[in-house]
Amino acid sequence: MILNTELEYKGNLFPSKIIKYEKNLNVLSFTAENGVILEITVRRDSVLRFRFTTTGIFENDFSYAITKYASRGYNHLEVTEDKDHYIITTAKLICHISKLDLRSSIYDAVDKTLICEDELGFHWEESYEFGGDVVKMSKTAQPGESYYGLGDKPVDNNLKGKRFENWVTDSYAYGRDTDPIYKTIPFYTALHNKKSYGIFFDNTFRSFFDFCSERRNITSFWAHGGEMNYYFIYGPEMSEVVANYTDLTGKPHEMPALWVLGYHQCKWSYYPESNVKEITSKFRELKIPCDAIYLDIDYMEGFRCFTWSKEYFPDPKRMVKELADDGFKTIVIIDPGIKIDMEYSVFKEGLDKDYFCKRADGPYMKGKVWPGECYFPDFTRPEVREWWSDLFKELIEDIGVKGVWNDMNEPAVMDVPGKSFPDDVRHDYEGNPCSHRKAHNVYGMQMARATYQGLKKFSYPKRPFVITRAAYSGTQRYTSSWTGDNVASWDHLTIANLQAQRMCMSGFSFIGSDIGGFAEQPNGELYARWIQLGIFHPFCRTHSSGDHGDQEPWAFGDTITDVVRKFIELRYQLLPYLYTAFWRYADEGIPILKSLVLYDQEDTQTHYRNDEFIFGEKILACPVTGPNQKGRRMYIPRGKWYNFWTDEVVKGGQEHWVDADLDSMPIFVKEGAIIPKYPIQQYVGEKAINELLLDVYYKLGKESSMVFEDAGDGYDYIKGRYSQRDFKLQGKKDELIIQQHKSGKYITTYKTFKLKLHGLPFKISKIEVDNVEIPFKVLKINGDNTLVVTKDFTELHIMA
Ligand code: MIG
């Protein structure tokens, strides 16, 4: 927290004693003698907002991060006082505010244990250079406390002992510990004494977090401007903390179309048209499933957004249609920089309408990017976003492009220090004019939002698909994202794993890495191992910078092609399982990937685990992250797990050696799970789904599973046209019972389930479906314990 060592002590200012307290429904305000006001808003029993001003007046209350759909309301709120404190009690929390200095201590309302307490608490330093304050907060770390989250930081899961900076940055070939990189998600979860809480510091200025790095027992965060404005979010389950943060900053506004969860192929760049077709045909020829093909910047005319190179793509509409006929969705890149060119209509229009960012004294913000000198739309202005969204009409509605990829939106500027706009650039910020110091971290988010609005408008009645590189908290409402320009190295495979887990823990589950690495070239082994990890990431795309060798699934010889095909096929088989996990994310804010600590926080062994993660609810995966390995040691969480490949049951709560030669990887299924699978398709929709395969993993005891399906695109599911199946499995020594409860109005195309029973400890002698015994012949039961039953059953008894 030392900004300037000389000023460390003489610079810091603190609130003084409380002289006034007011309560206005759920907003409590405490005024200190020296003009500091602390305003606490009780948003939910477990969510308190803390907001401080040092001037006696609050700025206009506006946040890009907080969604208007966030839940509000509490069961209980009471404010009392004792000699030294005001005491705020909700159904979940008790918060003490010191009358002396506004410091807070927060306790669990049920068992009264201390959750989080201020050390110095709120303090600040006046900023001579820019005016306003550098706002600071410090809290005492509790014994054994660990920290997680913060978005895309390329570091081990547990953040303890480290310091971070948040300033959205184009970080070509970043490495382990590079900081900051592309995203700013100033939210962390903390865990101690089996209880978890989170802090979301909703301040868009350059901010910092220190987790017991500067001082061993202190956790602090501060920003170079704006307000001390943070949300305290209580669990005690870490998954609840993350779900509550996601509720606050928003869940995706709609499900992705099912094809979006397929495999995507990208490179900088596939051109001309014949090259694109060569690639797509090769996928079909080699029977490697793929749903999307990307056009990087070279598809444009001189890198002018919303244009097409006549030479390389003479008839984009025809090409896009032909690709679509073969099951390929075309995705194109769009950058924020608009080429300064009076002959270019987008530039002319932006100029005429005064939509470009300007410097403090009036000149336009001019910066060099791919097209040469450019101006940049001010996406923090609603009219500009509206204009931008309309620019997509032709691309989407007429040409038939199915997704847009926003790059360089940090915003990145070439050949200048800081690689971005200077601080003095002005922004509208939704009618709260400010400098780039405040708008920088949300610029990319607002560009992605404007793009999303366009795609949503012109893709209707289909769902939009957007990808962004830069993001601030809340960006997950509009778009997916990738982890930027990584490198083809084994360490980067590990980093991709960490970043995807961390993003999921930070409310942003729709994430993936450039499979194989963007910079430099992977060998076949690394590529195969990366595909194995990548099929478990919500966004699954191979991408490379293209200035080295090829990076398609077949670029490394037949052995590797076969491994890659096998895993992409597995991705397609697991689509209904992934779609269900996505539904739980979009509906309830539950992360699609769960780091082991989030999965089982009570097991202290999980607090420092990095490689293993839970995909959805029931599958445990762990990539092999080094060369020449025939397997690896990994930690299996508590409970019993089936080896996915062998059905061998292992006991968790300890490390195991797991065999995994190059054509395999460690995957386990939780006992009692029911995993839905589709047949292998070359692209989503290639085949009608005539039967849903359910892999049933026997357990002595109970377990529940869910399968969510809908039309796979469109908005009918929002009106109730979805199919949700809740399964309850109960295994006994001589019987397996599966109950099904179906909700939603969508009628799936298939009529039957094919059940595959794993680990059944007895030989089946009788089967009853809804209390009626069914002959084996009808069930098509055979030696491998598969049987076919109607999808409409409510209770199935499989008996010895
Ligand atoms: O300065 O559009 O991260 O995915 O292929 C490089 C070219 C610009 C950076 C992106 C990368 C993309 C590349 N872009």
Side-chain angles (χ1 to χ4, degrees):
M1 141 134 21
I2 308 166
L3 293 168
N4 176 336
T5 316
E6 206 189 317
L7 289 179
E8 185 193 2
Y9 293 109
K10 83 178 166 206
N12 281 337
L13 301 166
F14 294 84
S16 58
K17 67 168 198 269
I18 298 177
I19 54 165
K20 192 167 113 194
Y21 157 65
E22 270 176 324
K23 178 174 183 293
N24 188 352
L25 289 172
N26 62 330
V27 182
L28 318 171
S29 97
F30 305 90
T31 306
E33 203 169 34
N34 62 350
V36 177
I37 303 175
L38 161 61
E39 188 186 271
I40 296 180
T41 307
V42 178
R43 295 196 46 125
R44 305 177 71 175
D45 287 309
S46 55
V47 180
L48 307 180
R49 178 186 181 192
F50 291 77
R51 206 183 162 199
F52 294 85
T53 173
T54 60
T55 61
I57 301 164
F58 282 102
E59 294 168 16
N60 183 31
D61 190 16
F62 170 74
S63 164
Y64 280 117
I66 308 295
T67 172
K68 63 180 179 205
Y69 304 112
S71 310
R72 280 170 178 274
Y74 43 84
N75 294 305
H76 178 72
L77 172 60
E78 186 184 302
V79 183
T80 55
E81 43 182 306
D82 65 14
K83 192 161 91 9
D84 303 320
H85 306 98
Y86 287 93
I87 301 166
I88 304 158
T89 306
T90 74
K92 293 241 169 113
L93 295 170
I94 300 170
C95 174
H96 288 199
I97 304 296
S98 159
K99 290 182 175 175
L100 199 65
D101 52 15
L102 291 177
R103 285 188 305 150
S104 67
S105 309
I106 303 177
Y107 304 82
D108 181 311
V110 179
D111 66 12
K112 313 288 189 275
T113 53
L114 178 64
I115 306 300
C116 178
E117 73 184 322
D118 284 357
E119 184 236 0
L120 298 177
F122 171 60
H123 52 297
W124 73 98
E125 201 179 298
E126 289 184 347
S127 168
Y128 169 74
E129 211 182 341
F130 300 103
D133 301 320
V134 174
V135 291
K136 312 176 183 186
M137 169 60 65
S138 71
K139 298 194 177 278
T140 307
Q142 301 302 314
E145 189 157 11
S146 353
Y147 304 92
Y148 308 89
L150 283 197
D152 64 347
K153 306 296 181 195
V155 301
D156 286 350
N157 273 339
N158 193 336
L159 304 173
K160 189 165 195 169
K162 297 199 166 96
R163 172 187 283 204
F164 300 95
E165 180 175 343
N166 289 311
W167 185 255
V168 170
T169 305
D170 175 8
S171 320
Y172 173 78
Y174 62 94
R176 188 183 273 275
D177 295 329
T178 303
D179 186 52
I181 59 170
Y182 301 92
K183 297 170 181 76
T184 288
I185 303 191
F187 163 67
Y188 69 87
T189 57
L191 172 65
H192 65 89
N193 295 319
K194 305 190 170 164
K195 294 193 168 72
S196 178
Y197 67 91
I199 302 263
F200 171 41
F201 180 28
D202 187 11
N203 179 314
T204 61
F205 285 80
R206 191 186 291 268
S207 63
F208 298 83
F209 285 77
D210 186 297
F211 301 102
C212 311
S213 166
E214 182 183 315
R215 286 183 290 154
R216 207 158 53 86
N217 297 317
I218 306 301
T219 289
S220 57
F221 49 93
W222 65 102
H224 282 186
E227 274 179 8
M228 176 47 61
N229 169 32
Y230 72 92
Y231 294 78
F232 175 86
I233 303 167
Y234 189 44
E237 292 300 317
M238 195 182 282
S239 54
E240 296 172 301
V241 175
V242 175
N244 279 339
Y245 162 79
T246 312
D247 178 81
L248 191 64
T249 58
K251 298 165 241 183
H253 283 165
E254 53 272 301
M255 286 288 287
L258 188 58
W259 66 262
V260 170
L261 299 181
Y263 172 73
H264 301 217
Q265 182 69 35
C266 188
K267 172 178 145 166
W268 178 18
S269 295
Y270 291 128
Y271 74 92
E273 176 178 335
S274 56
N275 177 232
V276 176
K277 292 265 184 63
E278 228 172 89
I279 299 293
T280 55
S281 319
K282 194 86 180 172
F283 272 99
R284 299 299 180 241
E285 180 194 323
L286 296 176
K287 295 222 168 322
I288 300 168
C290 184
D291 260 281
I293 186 82
Y294 283 63
L295 303 180
D296 205 326
I297 49 178
D298 301 286
Y299 80 91
M300 303 179 216
E301 192 67 67
F303 307 120
R304 288 170 190 79
C305 292
F306 307 101
T307 68
W308 289 80
S309 154
K310 291 206 179 53
E311 187 190 342
Y312 301 142
F313 297 96
D315 189 355
K317 188 171 176 171
R318 177 192 40 74
M319 178 190 75
V320 167
K321 161 89 172 45
E322 285 164 7
L323 291 171
D325 290 344
D326 200 15
F328 283 94
K329 276 59 79 176
T330 305
I331 320 271
V332 303
I333 197 167
I334 289 285
D335 289 353
I338 299 299
K339 188 178 177 69
I340 301 178
D341 171 1
M342 283 313 233
E343 311 288 294
Y344 168 37
S345 66
V346 177
F347 175 75
K348 265 288 279 153
E349 217 176 287
L351 199 67
D352 290 348
K353 296 188 164 151
D354 199 16
Y355 286 164
F356 295 122
C357 293
K358 289 182 187 151
R359 305 291 300 265
D361 300 321
Y364 285 104
M365 165 56 219
K366 192 200 263 184
K368 197 182 137 212
V369 258
W370 291 104
E373 299 284 3
C374 285
Y375 291 169
F376 301 83
D378 182 9
F379 294 107
T380 69
R381 219 173 116 191
E383 308 90 287
V384 176
R385 288 199 301 273
E386 191 63 38
W387 168 68
W388 185 260
S389 70
D390 284 334
L391 293 173
F392 289 95
K393 189 172 190 336
E394 191 190 352
L395 266 181
I396 309 299
E397 215 178 66
D398 183 39
I399 299 177
V401 163
K402 288 285 181 291
V404 169
W405 167 28
N406 282 165
D407 186 22
M408 306 289 278
N409 53 346
E410 290 71 26
V413 178
M414 293 167 174
D415 306 331
V416 293
K419 302 192 266 189
S420 191
F421 294 0
D423 283 347
D424 69 276
V425 170
R426 305 293 298 162
H427 294 274
D428 179 67
Y429 214 94
E430 290 338 81
N432 305 279
C434 67
S435 79
H436 196 63
R437 294 196 322 125
K438 181 173 174 179
H440 176 83
N441 280 331
V442 298
Y443 184 87
M445 173 197 198
Q446 293 312 304
M447 177 190 183
R449 177 187 181 184
T451 303
Y452 161 80
Q453 284 170 351
L455 273 270
K456 182 157 182 163
K457 212 179 312 185
F458 301 117
S459 304
Y460 190 84
K462 304 284 190 204
R463 301 174 197 163
F465 176 53
V466 179
I467 311 147
T468 181
R469 193 169 70 174
Y472 180 70
S473 292
T475 310
Q476 70 273 5
R477 305 199 289 270
Y478 317 116
T479 167
S480 67
S481 187
W482 88 106
T483 56
D485 296 342
N486 59 3
V487 182
S489 72
W490 287 101
D491 198 34
H492 259 275
L493 174 57
T494 301
I495 291 170
N497 183 10
L498 291 166
Q499 287 183 295
Q501 289 182 49
R502 185 184 310 293
M503 285 293 284
C504 287
M505 261 216 251
S506 308
F508 202 134
S509 277
F510 203 177
I511 184 76
S513 67
D514 282 352
I515 294 175
F518 178 73
E520 300 175 28
Q521 190 174 22
N523 62 20
E525 186 188 10
L526 175 58
Y527 183 70
R529 291 301 193 189
W530 208 315
I531 278 279
Q532 292 172 356
L533 172 67
I535 65 146
F536 290 106
H537 286 170
F539 176 52
C540 179
R541 178 183 78 160
T542 291
H543 183 38
S544 68
S545 66
D547 51 4
H548 50 65
D550 294 339
Q551 203 159 306
E552 289 82 35
W554 52 85
F556 307 94
D558 292 349
T559 314
I560 299 298
T561 308
D562 290 345
V563 176
V564 171
R565 182 190 298 105
K566 169 175 166 180
F567 279 87
I568 295 180
E569 286 178 351
L570 177 58
R571 167 94 176 187
Y572 277 74
Q573 288 176 294
L574 288 174
L575 278 176
Y577 176 83
L578 173 57
Y579 200 64
T580 301
F582 210 113
W583 167 247
R584 299 212 66 196
Y585 167 55
D587 188 44
E588 296 172 65
I590 296 173
I592 298 176
L593 306 182
K594 297 161 190 73
S595 302
L596 291 196
V597 65
L598 187 128
Y599 177 74
D600 186 3
Q601 70 191 45
E602 300 209 348
D603 174 6
T604 50
Q605 300 262 16
T606 65
H607 296 191
Y608 281 90
R609 299 306 306 193
N610 289 311
D611 290 0
E612 310 86 352
F613 61 91
I614 308 291
F615 169 66
E617 307 289 324
K618 313 283 180 192
I619 296 179
L620 166 69
C622 184
V624 173
T625 54
N628 304 316
Q629 294 187 19
K630 299 223 174 290
R632 62 165 294 161
R633 286 194 75 77
M634 65 179 278
Y635 185 73
I636 312 253
R638 299 187 296 180
K640 282 189 186 154
W641 299 80
Y642 284 78
N643 183 312
F644 176 78
W645 308 105
T646 64
D647 272 358
E648 183 201 346
V649 177
V650 299
K651 204 170 148 285
Q654 62 198 60
E655 278 200 1
H656 285 265
W657 168 266
V658 183
D659 287 333
D661 219 332
L662 188 54
D663 62 348
S664 182
M665 79 179 278
I667 304 174
F668 292 85
V669 182
K670 194 178 180 189
E671 64 164 355
I674 297 181
I675 310 282
K677 282 187 183 155
Y678 282 164
I680 293 164
Q681 305 177 72
Q682 296 310 303
Y683 55 90
V684 167
E686 187 207 18
K687 293 181 182 157
I689 311 296
N690 295 322
E691 196 158 71
L692 184 70
L693 179 64
L694 295 176
D695 270 304
V696 179
Y697 292 85
Y698 174 86
K699 171 186 186 175
L700 187 64
K702 295 179 179 172
E703 185 69 42
S704 47
S705 300
M706 188 209 274
V707 181
F708 178 88
E709 295 169 285
D710 63 12
D713 207 340
Y715 294 89
D716 283 353
Y717 77 102
I718 290 171
K719 295 178 249 152
R721 253 178 256 288
Y722 60 84
S723 153
Q724 183 176 320
R725 304 177 188 282
D726 287 291
F727 291 109
K728 285 208 173 98
L729 173 146
Q730 190 186 356
K732 300 177 180 173
K733 272 215 187 67
D734 50 6
E735 190 175 8
L736 178 65
I737 306 165
I738 301 173
Q739 293 169 306
Q740 174 181 211
H741 176 262
K742 164 118 189 333
S743 51
K745 291 183 284 191
Y746 181 71
I747 313 280
T748 52
T749 51
Y750 56 84
K751 302 244 166 359
T752 51
F753 297 137
K754 182 180 213 166
L755 264 56
K756 186 166 179 13
L757 307 174
H758 299 257
L760 200 67
F762 53 81
K763 198 165 170 298
I764 305 171
S765 64
K766 188 172 149 191
I767 291 180
E768 283 177 12
V769 176
D770 296 337
N771 296 320
V772 179
E773 187 175 344
I774 311 280
F776 280 12
K777 222 182 125 213
V778 176
L779 295 161
K780 298 185 192 151
I781 191 162
N782 57 33
D784 65 354
N785 270 356
T786 60
L787 53 133
V788 176
V789 295
T790 163
K791 68 173 177 180
D792 296 320
F793 79 79
T794 36
E795 192 158 314
L796 176 68
H797 286 255
I798 298 167
M799 293 172 267

